[in-house]
Structure formats: structure tokens, C-alpha cells
């Protein structure tokens, strides 16, 4: 055992030395910070148990340092301390327990809780209110002078107080904070990199660090860095008593103070807030890797002192790491209903935040090319919240030359049809609507619950039917007969009977369900319901889509010659040209009520410098399109993109065939006559909340069948809130507004008049 420990200590030490060199000297880390921390922790634990094996040059003795050559060195006025880590509630409780033992018995401990920003520490010195120096943490005692670079960051005040009428700043103030990229600024930086054909940056924190260590501050200025300030390191003439007061003072002076800090009167209060913080993590504009918990009373914090480099009065509560590195072993390709190809990374299994990940999304081939991800690469994987894990990018520094480029296939891996990439699209598509994989995916959706809801048609059955050539599209299921099915392996009499019976029953599904099952992009049950409310039949909907398509074609005939020599390199013009090319989504909805269409178009299209005749022609061409699309655009809740999707779906030749087959098979093609069972609820508006004895949609239909209206939010116009079991905030709101809350039984009694 001890031999093993000695060997492991040696191995860890060597690995850590290597990673320190990669990170600090080469600025090319091979693993994530969390992976580095895990190695270091393992080493520290082993060294604590077996101190006799600790090497003289153990990396655990080396204080993290970000010192770089080429910068003047600055001695900090007080040590720039680090923080000990806690990983769970128990760690926090034992931290408080240890602290209590160092404080007078019964001392009350209050805390300030704030996000732990995943950036790099910065120390700002202000003399007589003027920023005179900015330094990195360095080794905690000596840092790099990066004043010129920091001065380019807009959130760092060059003079305090920022507001002329605020109380004056102390004659000397040394403040500490964090420099980082907001998530959107980092994404923007990467878009710019990609536009220039340069590799994307993988890690925001390292990139922020690199940005701050530029030799030329004009380079730093090009990066949109932000600074958040959270502590006072030293000052002249300030008597601060608490963390709370410190943050208030920093804010008053005009600093961008770490946001959402809160005071908690006890550790229990802190612990109660942890889940909400974890849930908020992804929604924050910057990356955080945990929370910082500080004893609020500065006298108490001072009394607690420092252990090593960590003040006892503060601790970092670390969230589970969301990123890890692993090896990209291979790729699998999926083809979806629409024909879209999705490459998925096959990974050497890696543990991220409590889950083993062995597949991750690569988004699309454009992204693979932009990030220059190669087979065999070490890659950084991110797994956060409910999002499917995805590949952030390659660790280029870890390449050994054996990696091979990834190219999109030229042909569909399932049906061998040549793939296409529509102009401007990032995705590659299989254009063959009869591709076995596309049919399988389409069928899976078609028979699913909420769509045609066909029992007994699981993925295996669907695959078997497609493989046997019995089904070439989703409509074919209605022409299945018993004999050929009975010949298939695993299809016994009973199974076949049941399957055919559930297929037959599906013909009577409601019109909205049939619309949903078509699988039009963005048209789920809710929108299908809206469509069915506005169009009595499939035929009406088809006719509208056809009329729109015809008007679009006519409009395109007018637009195309006009744009032949338009200046597409001007971005304003390019946007307008794109709009003219998608008139149903981008023009028609804007002008539904326009009385002066030519004048409006003239104003919109000014950057294109079109002649008066051209504008008149465009207006004349747009008018019929506006009229044709009005029935769709007028549906409340149906946005322009969905309208365009509907038109595209119904205009497709393959879809037309499928619809004809469905119709011939006797599938419902029109809305039911509105059966008005009664009008006792006429004029009353209901809001439903909590769980009821029947699905919400059924209760809604019941109310509507008796002339009532159901809306989703409680307002003054609501007549009744119907509360089922565990009602939500809607019931609370009703109480506030003084609106009657009734039970489901009371609703039924209103209808029956009991
Ligand atoms: S307080 C003695 N507050 O996390 C006070 N640090 O892992 C120590 N950090 O070196 C720092 N957000 O660079 C504090 N709200 C915050 C922070 C924060 C990020 C960094 C800081 C520190 C590191 C420790």
C-alpha cells in the first residue's frame, strides 16, 4: 500500500509539474482547472498521510502564480489571499464548527454570500481617487503590473468617486476584484476569430488572462473585458466594519460591484440559498464556478486569522465542474426527420458533475470545421444543467500529429443520396424524403403520443416495416394488411391484429392531432389547435398555402431583376435583400394594415436606392402576398417564421403526396363542427390551475363547449379561477385581485345548474 502511495505521489507530482508548465509558461493548458485541482487535491491528501514520500520539489508547495516575463513587478500592500474550498453542505458546516472553536462561545456568525466569478484576480490602487496601478495576483505577494492594459477596461473607474456628487474617496484605496469575459462578449470574440479564419478560444478565463497580458494595450482594448470588484485589500482612513458595508462603499464609489451579494444571518440561511444559486448559474451573464461565503463581521474575520494562504473567515463553495477533457474516439451521424445531419462525438467516457459522459453533440459540420476538431483530439466537453453535453473545442496543444480532420460525408450514410447544404445554412441535409432513416424518424414522430398516438408501433416495429419495404412513408401504415405482416419475424397473429386495430382507430384522431402529426417545424399541439380553429379543413389550409406560394413566386419575379446589381456588400442593404427574398416572414406581417404600402416600402428600402417605378412594382407584387397570407398572419400566437414553415411544408411535392394518401385512407381532414353543448358559461372567463381529474385540455374543452372562455393568466377580466389539487401562483394572484376561486366540482355544478 505504502509503495503504491509513493508511486502515486511521484506520478501526480510529475503530471502537475507538466501541467503547471503548460499553463503558466506556454499558456496552453491541456486539462481544465477543475481537473488540475482534482490532481492537486489527490496529491495533497496523499502527502498529508504519507509525508515521508513528499518530494522535495513537490508541486503542492508551489503557490499558484501567474507571473509572466516582460512585466514590471509590483509588491502588494498585503497578501492577496486565496480561498479554501467546500464541496458540500457538510464541508460548510465543519468550516463553521472549526471557526466557532476559535471565537468566543455563543458568537453569532452572519455571512455575505456572493457569486465566485470565474476570472482572474486584479488588484487596483487608487491614490487621491486616481487609478495609479493595476496588478495581477502573481504569487500573492508580488504581481505583474498591467496598469496600461487594465485602463482599457470600461468597467474599471480611472477616477473615484465616479459620480461627482458622491462622498470623496479615501486618500489611498487598494481594491480587489476579478477580470472576466461576459459570456456574450466571449462568444462575440470567437465569432470574430472565426470570421478571420482563426481558431476559436476555448476557455474564457485563460483568454481573459491572455488578454490582460498583452504587450500592447491596444490589443487588450479590442477585447470586451469586464471587471467586478468585491474587496478592499488596504486603505488609508477607512474604518470598515463589515463585508456588507464594504460592498456598499465600493458601489458608492462607482465600482462595478459583484452582483447579487446577499446577507445571511446564519449558515442555515446560506445553505437554503444554495440550490437556487445552482439553478441560476447558467442564466448569469458570466461564468461562475461557485459561491464565496464571507464572515460579515470584519473584526470576527480578523480574529479568525489565516491558515496558509487562506483566510479562515471566507470559503469558496465550489459547484460541480461543468467542463472536462477527454479523447474524441469517433463520430456517429444521425439523420433527422427534416434530413438534417447531426454529428455526435463518441468519447472516452469522462465523469462530469456526477455523470459519465460518452457521447456529446458536435452541433454541425460547419462548427466542427470552425473549431478545427479532429478525430483523436483531446477535447473539452461541457455539461451544464439540462443541456445535452457538447464539445466546446479541441485542446490543440495536446496534439501529437496522429489526429485526422473530420469532413462532412458527401453522401447520406443511410440512403447514399448526395447531401446538400442550402445557401447560408450551417447544416448539411439528406434531400431524399424516402431515405430510410428520415422515414423512420418521421414515422416515430407520426405515431407518437400527442400526434397520431398509435400503440404497438415502437421503433423496432417501425424499423422492421421499413426494412421489409412495407412502408415508404408515414401514410403507408394505413394500407398495411395482415398477410405480409404475418410473414415478418416476431409478428404473431395477436400482435398484428392489435397493430392494425390501433392504426384503424388512428384515422379518427382529431384534426389538430392530425396537423400536429405532420411534423411541421415548430407546429406542436398548441399551434395545431390554433390552426384548426382558423381553418375548417386541410383543404382550406392547403389552398391558402398554395395561394401564398404563388404570390411569393410572382413577387420573386419582380424582386430578382431589381437586385441583380444591388450592392450586397453594404450590411444594411444585405439585410434588406434578405428580407425581400423571404417576403412571407419578413415583409407581409409588417404591412397587414398598411394603407400606404408604396410609401412604407420606399422608406424601408431607401438604402437600396431603388427607382420610384421599382417601388411601385414591388408594392403591387407584395399586395397579393399580404392578402393571401392574411388568414395565417391573423392567427394570434402564430409568428411569421411558423407561417413560412407552414407554407414550405405544404408546398413540398412529397408532403403533397403524403397528404393525398392520408386523405384517401380516411384520416380526419377537417375540424369537427363546433358542438355547442350549451351557453351557460357565455361571457365568463376561466383560468385553470392545479391538477384536475381530467387532462387540462379536456376541462378547457368542457368550458368552451358551454360558451365559456379559458385564458392562461389571471387578470381583472378573469371571472373564475378553477383550482385543482396543489394550485399554483395563479390562485394566489386571484386572491389578491379578489377573484372567485372555485373547485372543479363547483365548475361542473355551474354547467349542470346543480
Ligand atoms: S474573495 C480573502 N470573492 O476566487 C478574500 N474571491 O478561489 C479572497 N474570486 O483568488 C477572495 N469571485 O480570485 C472573493 N466574490 C469573490 C470572488 C473571488 C472570484 C476568486 C478570487 C480568489 C479565488 C479563490
Amino acid at each position: 500500500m505504502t509503495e503504491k502511495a509513493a508511486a502515486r505521489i511521484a506520478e501526480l507530482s510529475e503530471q502537475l509539474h507538466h501541467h503547471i508548465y503548460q499553463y503558466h509558461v506556454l499558456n496552453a493548458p491541456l486539462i481544465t482547472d477543475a481537473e488540475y485541482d482534482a490532481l492537486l487535491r489527490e496529491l495533497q491528501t496523499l502527502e498529508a498521510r504519507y509525508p515521508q514520500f513528499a518530494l522535495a520539489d513537490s508541486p503542492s508547495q508551489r503557490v499558484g502564480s501567474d507571473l509572466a516575463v516582460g512585466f514590471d513587478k509590483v509588491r502588494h500592500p498585503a497578501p492577496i489571499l486565496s480561498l479554501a474550498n467546500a464541496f458540500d453542505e457538510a464541508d460548510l458546516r465543519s468550516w463553521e464548527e472549526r471557526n466557532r472553536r476559535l471565537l468566543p462561545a455563543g458568537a453569532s456568525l452572519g455571512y455575505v454570500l456572493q457569486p465566485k466569478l470565474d476570472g482572474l484576480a486584479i488588484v487596483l490602487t487608487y491614490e487621491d481617487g486616481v487609478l495609479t496601478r493595476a496588478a495581477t495576483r502573481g504569487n500573492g505577494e508580488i504581481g505583474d503590473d498591467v496598469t496600461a492594459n487594465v485602463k482599457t477596461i470600461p468597467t474599471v473607474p480611472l477616477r473615484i468617486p465616479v459620480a461627482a456628487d458622491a462622498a470623496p474617496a479615501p486618500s489611498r484605496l487598494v481594491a480587489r476584484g476579478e477580470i472576466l469575459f461576459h459570456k456574450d462578449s466571449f462568444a462575440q470574440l470567437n465569432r470574430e476569430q472565426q470570421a478571420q479564419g482563426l481558431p476559436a478560444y476555448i476557455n474564457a478565463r485563460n483568454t481573459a488572462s491572455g488578454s490582460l497580458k498583452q504587450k500592447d494595450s491596444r490589443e487588450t482594448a479590442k477585447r470586451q473585458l469586464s471587471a467586478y470588484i468585491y474587496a478592499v485589500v488596504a486603505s488609508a482612513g477607512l474604518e470598515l466594519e463589515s463585508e456588507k458595508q464594504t460592498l456598499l462603499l465600493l458601489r458608492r464609489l462607482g465600482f462595478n460591484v459583484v452582483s447579487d451579494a446577499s446577507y445571511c444571518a446564519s449558515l442555515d440561511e446560506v445553505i437554503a440559498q444554495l440550490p437556487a444559486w445552482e439553478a441560476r448559474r447558467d442564466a448569469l451573464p458570466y461564468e461562475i464556478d461557485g459561491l464565496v461565503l464571507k464572515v460579515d463581521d470584519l473584526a470576527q474575520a480578523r480574529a479568525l486569522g489565516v491558515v496558509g494562504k487562506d483566510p479562515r473567515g471566507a470559503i469558496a463553495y465550489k459547484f460541480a465542474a461543468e467542463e472536462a477533457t477527454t479523447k474524441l474516439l469517433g463520430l456517429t451521424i444521425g439523420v433527422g426527420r427534416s434530413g438534417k445531419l447531426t454529428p455526435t462525438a463518441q468519447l472516452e467516457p469522462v465523469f462530469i458533475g456526477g455523470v459519465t459522459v460518452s457521447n456529446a453533440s458536435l452541433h454541425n459540420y460547419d462548427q466542427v470545421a470552425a473549431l478545427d476538431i479532429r478525430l483523436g483530439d483531446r477535447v473539452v466537453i461541457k455539461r451544464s444543467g439540462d443541456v445535452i453535453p457538447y464539445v466546446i473545442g479541441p485542446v490543440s496543444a495536446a496534439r501529437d500529429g496522429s489526429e485526422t480532420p473530420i469532413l462532412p460525408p458527401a453522401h447520406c450514410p443511410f440512403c447514399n443520396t448526395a447531401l446538400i447544404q442550402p445557401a447560408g445554412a450551417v447544416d448539411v441535409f439528406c434531400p431524399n424524403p424516402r431515405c430510410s432513416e428520415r422515414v423512420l424518424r418521421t414515422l416515430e414522430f407520426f405515431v407518437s403520443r400527442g400526434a397520431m398516438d398509435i400503440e404497438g408501433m415502437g421503433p423496432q416495429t417501425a424499423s422492421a416495416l421499413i426494412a421489409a419495404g412495407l412502408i415508404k412513408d408515414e401514410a403507408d401504415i394505413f394500407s398495411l394488411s395482415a398477410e405480409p405482416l404475418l410473414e415478418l419475424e416476431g409478428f404473431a397473429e395477436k400482435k398484428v391484429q392489435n397493430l392494425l386495430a390501433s392504426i384503424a382507430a388512428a384515422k379518427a384522431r382529431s384534426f389538430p392531432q392530425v396537423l400536429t402529426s405532420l411534423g411541421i417545424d415548430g407546429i406542436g399541439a398548441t399551434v395545431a389547435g390554433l390552426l384548426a380553429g382558423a381553418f375548417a379543413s386541410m383543404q382550406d389550409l392547403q389552398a391558402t398555402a398554395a395561394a401564398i406560394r404563388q404570390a411569393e413566386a410572382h413577387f420573386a419575379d419582380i424582386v430578382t431583376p431589381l437586385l441583380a446589381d444591388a450592392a450586397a456588400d453594404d450590411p444594411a442593404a444585405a439585410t434588406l435583400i434578405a428580407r425581400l427574398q423571404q417576403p412571407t416572414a419578413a415583409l407581409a406581417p409588417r404591412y397587414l394594415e398598411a394603407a400606404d404600402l408604396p410609401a412604407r416600402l420606399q422608406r424601408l428600402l431607401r438604402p437600396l436606392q431603388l427607382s420610384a417605378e421599382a417601388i411601385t412594382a414591388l408594392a403591387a407584387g407584395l399586395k397579393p402576398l399580404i392578402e393571401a397570407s392574411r388568414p395565417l398572419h391573423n392567427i394570434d400566437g402564430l409568428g411569421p417564421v411558423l407561417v413560412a414553415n407552414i407554407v414550405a411544408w405544404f408546398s413540398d411535392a412529397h408532403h403533397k403526396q403524403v397528404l393525398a394518401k392520408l386523405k384517401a385512407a380516411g384520416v380526419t381532414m377537417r375540424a369537427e363542427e363546433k358542438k355547442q353543448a350549451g351557453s351557460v358559461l357565455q361571457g365568463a372567463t376561466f383560468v385553470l390551475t392545479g391538477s384536475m381529474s381530467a387532462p387540462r385540455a379536456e376541462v378547457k374543452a368542457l368550458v368552451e363547449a358551454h360558451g365559456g372562455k379559458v385564458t392562461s393568466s389571471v387578470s381583472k377580466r378573469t371571472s373564475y379561477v378553477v383550482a385543482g389539487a396543489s394550485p399554483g401562483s395563479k390562485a394566489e394572484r386571484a386572491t389578491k385581485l379578489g377573484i372567485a376561486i372555485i373547485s372543479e366540482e363547483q365548475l361542473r355544478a355551474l354547467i349542470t345548474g346543480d
Side-chain angles (χ1 to χ4, degrees):
M1 183 62 219
T2 47
E3 246 169 57
K4 257 198 189 156
R8 183 67 183 148
I9 285 177
E11 187 183 11
L12 285 167
S13 301
E14 193 186 315
Q15 284 180 2
L16 285 161
H17 279 309
H18 178 56
H19 288 307
I20 290 168
Y21 172 75
Q22 284 285 341
Y23 186 106
H24 292 291
V25 181
L26 300 184
N27 204 4
L30 299 176
I31 53 176
T32 65
D33 290 2
E35 287 168 330
Y36 175 85
D37 288 346
L39 292 176
L40 183 60
R41 270 203 312 280
E42 188 186 345
L43 178 64
Q44 285 168 332
T45 316
L46 282 172
E47 285 181 345
R49 270 187 74 186
Y50 306 100
Q52 69 272 32
F53 299 138
L55 302 173
D57 67 343
S58 170
S60 67
Q61 293 162 37
R62 189 201 273 275
V63 182
S65 154
D66 65 12
L67 292 174
V69 280
F71 289 90
D72 287 343
K73 302 299 165 215
V74 174
R75 180 166 288 279
H76 298 302
I80 300 305
L81 298 174
S82 189
L83 290 174
N85 291 330
F87 296 95
D88 54 27
E89 188 186 320
D91 289 349
L92 291 178
R93 293 211 186 271
S94 50
W95 168 68
E96 178 171 85
E97 248 346 281
R98 284 195 304 274
N99 284 345
R100 282 200 181 284
R101 277 186 240 128
L102 297 169
L103 292 171
S108 85
L109 275 166
Y111 299 99
V112 166
L113 182 64
Q114 54 191 266
K116 181 170 176 333
L117 309 170
D118 196 9
L120 57 134
I122 192 77
V123 181
L124 306 173
T125 304
Y126 289 83
E127 274 159 313
D128 295 321
V130 177
L131 175 68
T132 52
R133 203 152 65 187
T136 64
R137 178 174 181 279
N139 61 16
E141 279 168 21
I142 293 169
D144 282 330
D145 185 337
V146 286
T147 312
N149 291 346
V150 168
K151 281 184 172 173
T152 69
I153 301 172
T155 36
V156 172
L158 300 183
R159 173 184 291 277
I160 50 170
V162 173
D165 55 352
S171 60
R172 180 176 157 77
L173 176 77
V174 184
R176 173 174 178 182
E178 207 81 358
I179 304 269
L180 46 72
F181 275 109
H182 275 193
K183 290 173 187 167
D184 57 357
S185 305
F186 188 60
Q188 173 64 25
L189 177 65
N190 269 339
R191 278 195 293 275
E192 284 162 16
Q193 284 286 110
Q194 288 177 12
Q196 294 174 46
L198 296 170
Y201 294 107
I202 303 300
N203 178 301
R205 185 171 186 265
N206 292 333
T207 312
S209 169
S211 306
L212 211 58
K213 297 260 168 118
Q214 294 291 319
K215 297 282 165 349
D216 181 348
S217 62
R218 280 170 301 188
E219 290 304 313
T220 311
K222 288 184 195 156
R223 315 278 175 89
Q224 288 182 47
L225 291 166
S226 302
Y228 287 85
I229 304 302
Y230 50 70
V232 170
V233 176
S235 72
L238 269 187
E239 297 287 329
L240 292 167
E241 287 174 1
S242 67
E243 284 292 341
K244 225 171 15 191
Q245 191 194 7
T246 307
L247 293 179
L248 280 174
L249 171 91
L250 289 169
R251 182 163 295 135
R252 266 212 317 273
L253 288 172
F255 287 107
N256 191 31
V257 172
V258 63
S259 45
D260 305 308
S262 64
Y263 174 80
C264 298
S266 69
L267 190 62
D268 283 334
E269 255 183 54
V270 170
I271 286 166
Q273 290 202 27
L274 301 178
W277 265 108
E278 296 227 23
R280 276 188 64 195
R281 178 180 189 180
D282 288 339
L284 293 172
Y286 39 70
E287 297 282 354
I288 67 173
D289 55 349
L291 301 170
V292 179
L293 188 55
K294 300 177 190 176
V295 168
D296 183 47
D297 185 324
L298 293 179
Q300 275 179 338
R302 266 191 304 274
L304 286 167
V306 175
V307 50
K309 296 277 169 189
D310 309 328
R312 288 198 185 86
I315 196 160
Y317 171 79
K318 296 284 281 263
F319 293 153
E322 293 190 324
E323 286 175 20
T325 56
T326 186
K327 192 170 171 174
L328 175 60
L329 301 174
L331 230 69
T332 50
I333 303 173
V335 174
R337 270 192 281 143
S338 65
K340 188 163 94 183
L341 258 70
T342 46
T344 300
Q346 303 301 310
L347 308 167
E348 213 165 76
V350 58
F351 201 64
I352 317 180
V355 175
T356 301
V357 174
S358 43
N359 308 306
S361 165
L362 279 164
H363 299 296
N364 54 59
Y365 283 98
D366 268 20
Q367 178 88 344
V368 171
L371 295 174
D372 185 24
I373 300 173
R374 305 181 194 173
L375 270 185
D377 258 339
R378 228 182 147 71
V379 284
V380 183
I381 311 297
K382 178 149 189 162
R383 175 185 164 266
S384 82
D386 297 333
V387 184
I388 296 172
Y390 60 95
V391 177
I392 295 192
V395 184
S396 324
R399 285 189 179 144
D400 64 9
S402 67
E403 301 77 12
T404 51
I406 297 171
L407 296 171
H411 295 94
C412 173
F414 297 96
C415 71
N416 209 29
T417 305
L419 298 173
I420 55 162
Q421 184 167 29
V426 292
D427 289 303
V428 179
F429 290 84
C430 167
N432 173 17
R434 304 211 178 266
C435 164
S436 61
E437 189 68 6
R438 285 188 63 179
V439 173
L440 177 62
R441 300 286 159 228
T442 307
L443 194 59
E444 267 175 11
F445 179 78
F446 188 75
V447 302
S448 64
R449 194 168 295 165
M452 293 301 261
D453 200 359
I454 298 178
E455 248 179 73
M457 184 70 102
Q460 268 183 349
T461 305
S463 297
L465 298 179
I466 294 167
L470 296 179
I471 287 182
K472 293 208 163 45
D473 63 44
E474 63 271 36
D476 284 342
I477 59 169
F478 293 107
S479 12
L480 285 174
S481 58
E483 293 88 76
L485 286 176
L486 286 166
E487 278 170 30
L488 297 179
E489 211 179 288
F491 281 71
E493 181 98 23
K494 188 79 195 149
K495 177 169 168 175
V496 169
Q497 263 177 19
N498 288 344
L499 180 61
L500 290 178
S502 55
I503 290 174
K507 292 182 188 173
R509 295 285 177 257
S510 69
F511 186 45
Q513 264 182 295
V514 175
L515 282 172
T516 307
S517 65
L518 299 180
I520 305 170
D521 206 7
I523 315 294
T526 310
V527 180
L530 297 175
L531 278 178
F535 291 87
S537 69
M538 196 69 89
Q539 201 177 359
D540 288 359
L541 195 49
Q542 281 174 286
T544 299
I548 296 173
R549 197 45 138 201
Q550 200 185 1
E552 276 177 349
H554 173 58
F555 188 69
D557 286 345
I558 302 170
V559 167
T560 312
L562 289 179
L563 296 184
D565 43 25
D569 44 350
D570 164 13
T575 314
L576 290 173
I577 291 172
R579 290 176 82 149
L580 286 168
Q581 286 164 341
Q582 298 159 38
T584 307
L587 289 178
R590 236 178 122 103
Y591 300 123
L592 290 174
E593 309 307 332
D596 51 349
L597 189 55
R600 298 276 304 269
L601 281 180
Q602 169 64 44
R603 243 176 299 160
L604 176 79
L605 302 176
R606 193 163 295 145
L608 293 179
Q609 299 177 350
L610 298 172
S611 67
E613 296 83 73
I615 295 287
T616 314
L618 283 174
L622 189 57
K623 196 87 191 129
L625 178 60
I626 294 173
E627 288 320 318
S629 61
R630 188 183 296 281
L632 281 170
H633 285 305
N634 270 354
I635 299 177
D636 214 9
L638 195 73
V641 174
L642 293 187
V643 171
N645 290 352
I646 292 168
V647 175
W649 195 94
F650 281 101
S651 310
D652 179 274
H654 173 67
H655 294 151
K656 284 181 185 169
Q657 280 181 25
V658 169
L659 271 182
K661 281 196 206 170
L662 291 177
K663 196 179 283 185
V667 171
T668 308
M669 287 287 145
R670 52 174 45 257
E672 264 176 62
E673 294 295 314
K674 274 221 169 69
K675 274 192 257 123
Q676 193 77 353
S679 54
V680 279
L681 303 182
Q682 193 76 48
T685 302
F686 293 77
V687 170
L688 311 179
T689 179
S691 49
M692 317 237 163
S693 66
R696 208 42 93 69
E698 237 170 73
V699 181
K700 180 170 184 261
L702 179 75
V703 171
E704 286 169 351
H706 291 85
K709 223 172 103 181
V710 175
T711 61
S712 55
S713 59
V714 181
S715 74
K716 278 184 297 197
R717 282 186 294 278
T718 308
S719 325
Y720 298 95
V721 168
V722 186
S726 8
S729 58
K730 288 175 187 170
E732 279 169 37
R733 187 162 158 73
T735 316
K736 249 190 228 141
L737 294 177
I739 289 160
I741 302 179
I742 59 170
S743 67
E744 192 187 330
E745 290 78 56
Q746 285 170 308
L747 168 69
R748 293 185 192 277
L750 275 183
I751 293 169
T752 53
D754 289 343

